[in-house]
Amino acid sequence: MRPFAYFRAEDPADAVARFGPGAMYLGGGTNLVDLMRLGVARPGLLVDVSRLPLDRVGPAAGGGGLLIGAAVRNSDLAAHPLVRERYPMLARAVLSGASGQIRNMATVGGNLLQRTRCAYFQDVSMPCNKRAPGSGCPAIAGDHENLAIIGHSAGAGGSACVATHPSDMAVALTALDARVHVTGAAGDRVIPMPGLHRLPGAEPDRDTVLEAGDLITAVELPPPPPGRSLYRKVRERASFAFALVSAAALLDVAGDGTTRGCKLALGGVAHAPWRAYTAERAVAGLPATASAFSAAADAELAQARPLPGNAHKVALARGLITAVLEELSR
Amino acid sequence: MTAPEAGDQVHTATVTLTVNGESRALEVDTRTSLLDLLREHLGLTGSKKGCDHGQCGACTVLIGGRRANACLALAVAHDGAEVTTVEGLADGDALHPLQDAFIRYDAFQCGYCTPGQLCSAAGMLTEGGPSAVTADLTGDPALTPGEIRERMSGNLCRCGAYVNIVRAVTAVSTAGTEP
């Protein structure tokens, strides 16, 4: 691990002021400390933001929503009564991620900014366009069973990347139209989700639209939309594993049995949590039936470009979308 | 830990911790994990280094009463914290109820994961709230074997003692014993 200087910030302005070349913010450290140990992250300065006064969950200004501080621990977020009652999809997503120990340590801001678990990204002896731009992507000809099936840049040569975003929480936030509050050298701004995370395009080294020194201070949820919601995660073992495919889904069925509203996001399939707008539009106004849901899944997944070793994830995603919407329609 | 690079200056910091009720102040390299501080600097080798990546749970300790992976915790970031390791669970010669139950229910074989299992279970029993397998999110579910398995999933046991670990934790949980 490269030696680093350490500074504990007292407030967000203090943290931003201290940030400079070679610096990184430290939250719970559950991903960053591991990446530093692996040599993937090599900060010369850690600005510790885990004790900033951003550890509250409470009503958002302007009515009905919820404001979640960026330093709230994942376990505290999932256990919060307002989250459990009003945003069950979010509580379920957080509870399905990692382990009890890691959820106790991990922060909301850090969860959003965790890096892909692609094995090549985490192995500094291998090329990786995300870690070392232009060096190549061995995953495309190698082990990519659990990597992206949609929105990737596999054909882009020096910027090819098929990494997936590993967060469960971010998938629920993407379905819930969360807004991410950011402060930085240029002042404060709000970034909608989807919109924080980006597809690899020509810059796979950039996971998000944040600029150097930007600090997430909070996540704001709009009032819960009408309908029932759930989060379902398909994985290789029953607990403490990343998603092969996951779905955060909300469905509002009208009295006549037609779909009045639907919000759907997928995890484990792309470089960013994938908001399934195509499927949402496809079910709108139609009878809330399995055939409508599977047709919507097909419409969404028409954009998929699976690699030779992960075509099964397209089938998984299709089955998952159909199953969760069916369950919500009952 | 790889060697420092040319031109990289090693940074140190003073870290004060309360470990098993005793205040300890040490000057450490900022790269020192809480696990290495406990094992290498304080000689508390009960907490084990299994994977050093947060995947196995052998290093689990309680920080401020909450279970955490000591391998992923930078000591410097936990300055001022109260840490309980497996060495701090017993009350003198009186075993912690979980330690007693692990013996009675034969909940370990090689024992390497056991300190982490014990600390994790001790933290888990005070956490409450729902888990990923809880049907009703709004209540505090009973700690059924299914709930215990889900809540203890951050602790791996390569001997496969899981069945009896669940029995031991269940015994303490249903006895209502404060961990």
Side-chain angles (χ1 to χ4, degrees):
Chain A
M1 193 185 291
R2 182 184 171 197
F4 59 86
Y6 172 87
F7 174 75
R8 183 179 304 128
E10 301 297 330
D11 59 59
D14 188 30
V16 170
R18 192 60 182 247
F19 199 93
M24 292 184 78
Y25 293 125
L26 173 70
T30 55
N31 187 211
L32 179 56
V33 171
D34 193 34
L35 291 175
M36 289 165 64
R37 194 167 283 143
L38 292 167
V40 174
R42 300 158 38 76
L45 168 66
L46 282 187
V47 178
D48 187 348
V49 295
S50 66
R51 299 195 203 184
L52 296 184
L54 303 171
D55 57 349
R56 297 288 160 80
V57 178
L66 199 66
L67 193 68
I68 302 160
V72 170
R73 306 290 164 164
N74 283 194
S75 48
D76 294 331
L77 176 64
H80 196 282
L82 287 175
V83 176
R84 287 154 68 176
E85 287 170 29
R86 301 179 64 206
Y87 303 94
M89 173 207 291
L90 176 59
R92 294 241 177 248
V94 173
L95 289 170
S96 76
S99 66
Q101 289 95 318
I102 287 175
R103 290 191 297 271
N104 278 343
M105 303 172 77
T107 63
V108 166
N111 184 312
L112 288 173
L113 298 181
Q114 64 180 305
R115 310 300 306 271
T116 184
R117 295 319 197 278
C118 174
Y120 301 100
F121 172 76
Q122 297 193 99
D123 181 350
V124 295
S125 72
M126 300 297 290
C128 170
N129 285 329
K130 179 178 283 299
R131 174 169 34 77
S135 62
C137 175
I140 292 166
D143 182 358
H144 56 245
E145 282 71 14
N146 194 19
L147 297 179
I149 55 171
I150 196 164
H152 57 69
S153 59
S159 64
C161 181
V162 293
T164 48
H165 195 268
S167 171
D168 293 294
M169 184 191 80
V171 180
L173 294 180
T174 296
L176 289 167
D177 298 306
R179 290 152 50 87
V180 179
H181 293 226
V182 174
T183 187
D188 299 347
R189 67 190 195 281
V190 172
I191 300 171
M193 287 183 72
L196 173 68
H197 301 95
R198 53 187 298 287
L199 297 179
E203 295 177 291
D205 53 316
R206 294 187 63 202
D207 293 354
T208 70
V209 300
L210 296 182
E211 303 294 339
D214 279 348
L215 176 69
I216 295 175
T217 55
V219 173
E220 182 183 346
L221 297 178
R228 297 171 59 212
S229 73
L230 59 73
Y231 185 79
R232 188 176 296 168
K233 180 174 179 180
V234 181
R235 44 185 162 174
E236 287 170 324
R237 58 184 183 191
S239 184
F240 199 14
F242 290 97
L244 297 170
V245 182
S246 69
L250 179 141
L251 191 72
D252 182 27
V253 180
D256 64 358
T258 59
T259 297
R260 187 160 47 198
C262 174
K263 291 177 186 291
L264 179 66
L266 302 176
V269 297
H271 194 261
W274 186 266
R275 181 72 181 262
Y277 286 122
T278 303
E280 292 178 10
R281 284 192 295 266
V283 297
L286 293 184
T289 60
S291 60
F293 299 147
S294 63
D298 285 339
E300 186 67 46
L301 295 166
Q303 307 166 72
R305 287 184 295 137
L307 301 164
N310 68 10
H312 63 284
K313 287 182 52 164
V314 180
L316 265 181
R318 177 181 293 114
L320 185 63
I321 293 170
T322 309
V324 295
L325 294 178
E326 253 199 290
E327 180 172 333
L328 291 171
S329 71
R330 280 199 285 268
Chain B
M1 193 174 281
T2 49
E5 294 162 32
D8 271 343
Q9 177 197 346
V10 171
H11 298 268
T12 61
T14 301
V15 176
T16 304
L17 297 167
T18 303
V19 180
N20 300 329
E22 192 178 336
S23 183
R24 312 292 294 255
L26 301 93
E27 179 94 357
V28 295
D29 186 322
T30 53
R31 294 173 291 177
T32 309
S33 69
L34 177 59
L35 178 61
D36 283 342
L37 181 147
L38 293 169
R39 290 179 54 85
E40 309 297 336
H41 295 257
L42 298 182
L44 293 170
T45 53
S47 308
K48 295 294 185 277
K49 187 179 283 190
C51 68
D52 216 20
H53 293 289
Q55 296 173 2
C56 77
C59 67
T60 302
V61 298
L62 303 177
I63 304 177
R66 305 176 74 172
R67 55 190 172 151
N69 300 107
C71 74
L72 294 178
L74 289 173
V76 66
H78 291 275
D79 184 38
E82 286 193 18
V83 178
T84 304
T85 70
V86 70
E87 289 93 341
L89 289 182
D91 181 9
D93 286 337
L95 292 180
H96 186 285
L98 282 163
Q99 292 172 312
D100 182 58
F102 267 56
I103 294 169
R104 283 188 289 117
Y105 287 87
D106 195 19
F108 55 93
Q109 184 178 318
C110 84
Y112 195 81
C113 73
T114 311
Q117 301 277 3
L118 289 166
C119 287
S120 185
M124 182 274 284
L125 289 174
T126 66
E127 279 169 8
S131 81
V133 300
T134 307
D136 175 11
L137 275 184
T138 57
D140 268 327
L143 287 180
T144 60
E147 285 283 354
I148 290 171
R149 281 194 289 271
E150 164 59 26
R151 289 161 195 262
M152 292 293 290
S153 70
N155 292 83
L156 305 187
C157 171
R158 287 193 63 181
C159 301
Y162 295 112
V163 174
N164 287 347
I165 292 171
V166 172
R167 286 188 182 130
V169 176
T170 301
V172 175
S173 162
T174 52
T177 313
E178 270 303 301

